[in-house]
Amino acid sequence: MATAALIGTGFIGPVHIEALRRLGITVRGVLGSSAEKSQLAAQRWHLERAYRSLDELLADPQVDVVHITSPNRFHYEQALRALQAGKHVVCEKPLALNSQQSRELVQRARDSGKVCAVCYNIRFYPLCQEARQRIAAGQLGRIFHVVGSYQQDWLLYPSDFNWRVLAQEGGAARAIGDIGTHWLDLISFLMGQTVVSVCADLRTVWPTRRRPLGPTETFATKLQSGNAFAEVAVDTEDYGAVLLRFADGTPGVMVVSQVTAGAKNRLRWEIAGEKAALAWNSERPDELWLGYRDGPNQLLLRDPALLTEAARSYTDYPGGHAEGFPDTFKQLFRAVYSALEQGRPLPGLYPTFEDGHREIVLCEAILASHQQRRWIDVPQDL
Ligand code: SOE
């Protein structure tokens, strides 16, 4: 069984460690932003190695797979160096800060023959897998349109701060890049097709925010108060609305916001077809709504016994035993590590560097559309 090491000690790092351990995969060590942070994290998570540098991690012959959970601005270089060192790579989204970097990573990944994945985990909710099966089987008939949103409230106040609000640290698109790309990846997965053109309207609700003088972790500002701060200019959007067109002409609309009070981490979609509609909400992930015009609507509660065979393989607990966010990472890593066991990339099983690149190209098209106030065709360069 392959052995993993982790880069990053923030919000998402422990999610990776927990999920890997649930699968029986050894996590050998961790690299933080300083030797001290590596040490603290290694102690907290009971890991054998606290690496002092990326060189040291990459030189560890016992490490087969590098999980990149560092802030966005490091992803490109760390992924590149991990590939050069002959490691497999599991990278948090976004894969890089721009499409030039992500295109290069796609090429390097292809040349390396290594298993390379990007963590678009929401595909791995069992009822999203179920929806994909039902759509592919034609249960909705011709699809008329797709609508949905991804909303959060952890950046609601101008006193809420995180490195993501600065373009040079998180990427030029923030709400779109941070949560919109999850929605776009998921819907493309459900529909089995890509978005080919976009028309966007973005808004920065807080042009300045108060940056605490100490470090801040994702979601953690909600728990902090009274610290010293500096007022900083914000160059990324809090809100965005995007009209979409899929490859077969199906229209869609996505709204994202990180300033919607009460929305903790709420991704919603509704797909309307000529025979039926389907809807799902990530804050109630074990429920899939099925809408009918000529009969009673249904609510499918996740239960392996009620799912199609393909979707059933993404759920481990009986109905009524809730599965959620941490389980999606377990399912994603199970897919990645099964490719490792088979000794080759298996692109149909998990989101690949190609998928990561596609999301960055989409972000760039959305930003261009907003700036130029018009529809933009999304380059299909892979
Ligand atoms: C922060 O907005 C964030 O942690 C995203 O970066 C994640 O990808 C998403 O899962 C939840 O929200």
Side-chain angles (χ1 to χ4, degrees):
M1 175 75 85
T3 294
L6 191 83
I7 308 177
T9 58
F11 155 66
I12 205 72
V15 177
H16 281 233
I17 294 180
E18 276 183 21
L20 289 166
R21 284 180 166 164
R22 289 172 74 190
L23 294 168
I25 294 161
T26 304
V27 184
R28 178 150 156 86
V30 62
L31 172 67
S33 54
S34 65
E36 204 184 10
K37 280 205 167 176
S38 301
Q39 197 61 49
L40 280 173
Q43 271 163 11
R44 189 177 330 128
W45 299 327
H46 307 288
L47 301 172
E48 212 174 308
R49 297 287 310 269
Y51 302 107
R52 279 163 302 178
S53 68
L54 184 55
D55 284 333
E56 198 175 271
L57 184 159
L58 297 177
D60 186 342
Q62 288 197 39
V63 173
D64 306 298
V65 190
V66 178
H67 284 243
I68 300 174
T69 71
S70 51
N72 300 355
R73 68 183 189 279
F74 301 116
H75 293 182
Y76 162 71
E77 197 205 329
Q78 291 170 343
L80 191 65
R81 291 193 49 204
L83 281 173
Q84 284 164 346
K87 310 290 188 191
H88 304 277
V89 182
V90 176
C91 187
E92 264 304 326
K93 50 129 272 273
L95 179 57
L97 285 191
N98 59 57
S99 60
Q100 198 185 330
Q101 294 177 342
S102 56
R103 193 174 298 111
E104 184 190 343
L105 288 175
V106 167
Q107 200 48 57
R108 299 279 186 138
R110 285 179 182 170
D111 295 345
S112 72
K114 297 290 170 189
V115 172
C116 293
V118 180
C119 295
Y120 284 111
N121 61 299
I122 303 177
R123 295 182 185 191
F124 290 85
Y125 280 99
L127 290 180
C128 289
Q129 295 282 342
E130 177 69 15
R132 178 176 151 94
Q133 296 304 323
R134 286 172 182 252
I135 291 166
Q139 287 186 16
L140 271 58
R142 180 162 73 89
I143 297 201
F144 296 148
H145 53 72
V146 184
V147 302
S149 57
Y150 195 160
Q151 301 180 79
Q152 300 176 323
D153 73 1
W154 67 287
L155 292 170
L156 177 63
Y157 300 126
S159 53
D160 292 324
F161 187 86
N162 178 264
W163 51 262
R164 284 180 171 78
V165 308
L166 304 175
Q168 60 177 23
E169 297 198 27
R174 190 236 308 164
I176 295 288
D178 191 39
I179 51 179
T181 59
H182 272 301
W183 193 94
L184 291 163
D185 176 78
L186 175 64
I187 302 303
S188 297
F189 174 74
L190 297 182
M191 300 272 288
Q193 51 176 318
T194 54
V195 171
V196 294
S197 48
V198 292
C199 182
D201 182 34
L202 312 180
R203 203 58 48 94
T204 304
V205 172
W206 298 114
T208 64
R209 285 180 181 265
R210 287 179 232 142
R211 178 181 205 153
L213 296 179
T216 49
E217 225 166 72
T218 307
F219 290 112
T221 51
K222 279 178 162 182
L223 303 172
Q224 292 166 351
S225 62
N227 297 332
F229 64 83
E231 195 84 16
V232 294
V234 170
D235 51 0
T236 56
E237 79 289 351
D238 295 302
Y239 157 90
V242 189
L243 296 176
L244 312 160
R245 202 147 299 151
F246 289 88
D248 71 349
T250 304
V253 57
M254 170 186 82
V255 172
V256 297
S257 164
Q258 293 184 307
V259 289
T260 301
K264 301 306 165 195
N265 189 48
R266 190 175 69 208
L267 182 155
R268 291 196 279 212
W269 55 257
E270 283 175 29
I271 301 181
E274 60 183 336
K275 296 186 194 159
L278 289 178
W280 183 79
N281 170 354
S282 66
E283 288 185 352
R284 307 185 68 90
D286 271 0
E287 298 176 3
L288 181 67
W289 181 86
L290 297 89
Y292 300 102
R293 153 87 174 247
D294 300 320
N297 297 335
Q298 296 178 350
L299 197 61
L300 171 60
L301 294 187
R302 182 198 54 79
D303 181 336
L306 299 176
L307 301 190
T308 53
E309 206 182 323
R312 197 178 304 142
S313 60
Y314 294 93
T315 181
D316 290 342
Y317 289 88
H321 300 72
E323 286 184 1
F325 180 78
D327 300 270
T328 61
F329 282 86
K330 185 185 74 178
Q331 300 296 350
L332 196 170
F333 298 158
R334 178 177 281 156
V336 169
Y337 282 76
S338 77
L340 280 167
E341 261 169 41
Q342 292 178 53
R344 65 194 165 91
L346 293 172
L349 282 191
Y350 49 82
T352 59
F353 275 19
E354 278 85 352
D355 296 311
H357 171 65
R358 195 169 298 114
E359 290 307 321
I360 293 171
V361 171
L362 261 169
C363 285
E364 291 175 351
I366 288 169
L367 284 177
S369 162
H370 169 71
Q371 281 151 7
Q372 297 169 30
R373 299 169 67 88
R374 66 178 181 89
W375 279 91
I376 295 275
D377 288 335
V378 182
Q380 307 288 313
D381 64 340
L382 290 181

